[in-house]
């Protein structure tokens, strides 16, 4: 299930919540205990915070970011960096969750303004890279 972010830069927390099966508020509380806050812009310009939160939620991640080469090349669960851009030389992106289950692939997007947060419009999304998520 997708989790909707409650702050403009809360996509990393929402992605962690979706992967852990938690509400946004619960994941935000876990993040705060680790000193991670949605207002920190490095939450979407660095992977360390999201990796630390996932580790605290007992979710394993591959230690490497892998370049996106195609939807069929993704594992069954992955964090994707979409809307990747440079601002004053610093990379920023929007976190989303890719899930493949029973042969169906979807992207769980936390952006509140979307009509449907379970996305299948793969041609519109332009992932830059991804992180494999360990088994559920």
């Amino acid at each position: 299930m997708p989790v909707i972010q409650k702050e403009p830069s809360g996509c990393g927390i929402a992605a962690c919540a979706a992967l852990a099966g938690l509400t946004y508020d619960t994941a935000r509380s876990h993040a705060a205990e680790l000193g991670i806050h949605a207002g920190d812009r490095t939450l979407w310009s660095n992977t360390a915070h999201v990796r630390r939160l996932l580790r605290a939620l007992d979710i394993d991640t591959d230690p490497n970011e892998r370049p996106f080469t195609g939807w069929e090349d993704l594992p069954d669960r992955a964090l994707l960096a979409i809307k990747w851009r440079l601002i004053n030389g610093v990379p920023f992106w929007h976190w989303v969750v890719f899930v493949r289950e029973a042969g169906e692939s979807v992207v769980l997007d936390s952006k509140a303004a979307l009509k449907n947060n379970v996305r299948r419009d793969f041609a519109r999304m332009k992932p830059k890279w991804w992180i494999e998520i360990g088994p559920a």
Side-chain angles (χ1 to χ4, degrees), residues 25-100:
D25 290 334
T26 300
R28 181 171 50 189
S29 293
H30 284 288
E33 291 170 5
L34 299 169
I36 301 168
H37 303 280
D40 182 349
R41 290 171 55 96
T42 63
L43 190 60
W44 37 286
S45 66
N46 186 318
T47 66
H49 298 310
V50 167
R51 288 178 183 279
R52 203 166 85 228
L53 179 54
L54 288 169
R55 193 169 37 254
L57 297 171
D58 293 323
I59 297 173
D60 293 328
T61 63
D62 186 294
N64 302 305
E65 292 88 41
R66 301 184 190 282
F68 181 81
T69 55
W71 295 102
E72 64 284 345
D73 299 331
L74 293 173
D76 290 344
R77 293 192 327 154
L79 277 174
L80 298 178
I82 67 170
K83 299 182 184 177
W84 192 94
R85 65 229 180 256
L86 286 174
I87 300 174
N88 297 323
V90 177
F92 287 90
W93 57 83
H94 176 64
W95 290 108
V96 295
V97 176
F98 174 82
V99 179
R100 183 183 300 112

